[in-house]
Amino acid sequence: MDFEIDDVAFTTRRWHTGEVTGIVFCFHGKGEPPFREQMDWHEWEWTRAGALVVFPYLGPWSWMNPPARGTVDRLIEKIYLEYRLLDDVPLIMTGNSMGGLGALLCTRHARRPVAACAVAMPTCDLAFHYASRLDVRRSVISTFYGCGMDVPTLLAEQSPLSHVAHMPSIPYFFMHGDADKTVIKELHSDPMVAAMRGRGLQVEYLEAPGVGHEEPPQYKAQRIEWVKRFL
């Protein structure tokens, strides 16, 4: 089934003026309201810098399953075609929590090369998350029921930690608080960043002391500025 851009995503096109200097995809956390009418302040900052910001409507908990990845790939191509963008216009993936997982998996799998990826408190080990939280278990079962994969294979396929060897050699930004009890830093970002650096990948890691499952303004501002470097 074909679709128009506005059918499957909120974008900042109505506020965008001038040349598109980059495409920034933003993926939301688990259960966040998917429908949007206004920009967040970080989206406004990126739009002012020339980005077209895209917030895909993938449902409250897609965990970036294969249909969601397919939608994102088709959406990317529609944007580049509609705006007549050259291949050197950068594509940037961002997200927080479940959306961080989505940004990392899209960076790994996207048909069009990704220029940079910035995530906050990302879920990197879905197998651990699935075993430790009933709400995650229920949402994963709901999302992947009937996919034909056994659970261990599925959880490995959807865990960014399983894909470190295949992550593209591009700049990455991670932010995670050491007081996060929802997505535990020591079990998600710490091993992911260590494995990526072990491969020689370029990773900037902002470790936030005393911060829980949130991205306070002073840390969000650093992610905003990091992304703007590529626009």
Side-chain angles (χ1 to χ4, degrees), residues 59-177:
W61 45 66
S62 75
W63 293 109
M64 203 49 65
N65 59 13
R69 291 205 304 265
T71 297
V72 171
D73 274 331
R74 292 194 298 275
L75 183 55
I76 291 168
E77 291 312 308
K78 278 185 172 289
I79 290 168
Y80 274 79
L81 285 171
E82 183 169 315
Y83 282 83
R84 299 178 180 177
L85 301 177
L86 299 177
D87 289 340
D88 61 358
V89 174
L91 173 64
I92 302 163
M93 297 293 177
T94 71
N96 60 77
S97 196
M98 182 190 76
L101 173 146
L104 290 165
L105 288 181
C106 281
T107 298
R108 155 73 173 100
H109 290 290
R111 291 199 296 261
R112 181 175 288 271
V114 175
C117 178
V119 294
M121 58 260 183
T123 301
C124 298
D125 186 348
L126 188 57
F128 172 81
H129 222 39
Y130 177 88
S132 63
R133 285 179 49 184
L134 182 57
D135 64 316
V136 171
R137 181 182 176 92
R138 286 172 172 164
S139 65
V140 167
I141 290 171
S142 171
T143 300
F144 293 97
Y145 184 79
C147 72
M149 282 190 282
D150 61 88
V151 171
T153 301
L154 165 67
L155 295 175
E157 171 62 25
Q158 297 304 123
S159 292
L161 263 173
S162 301
H163 293 279
V164 171
H166 304 287
M167 298 297 291
S169 184
I170 60 172
Y172 295 88
F173 178 96
F174 280 67
M175 174 270 165
H176 214 137

Side-chain angles (χ1 to χ4, degrees), residues 46-69:
W46 292 334
T47 301
R48 287 179 59 194
L52 178 71
V53 182
V54 183
F55 183 94
Y57 297 141
L58 301 174
W61 45 66
S62 75
W63 293 109
M64 203 49 65
N65 59 13
R69 291 205 304 265

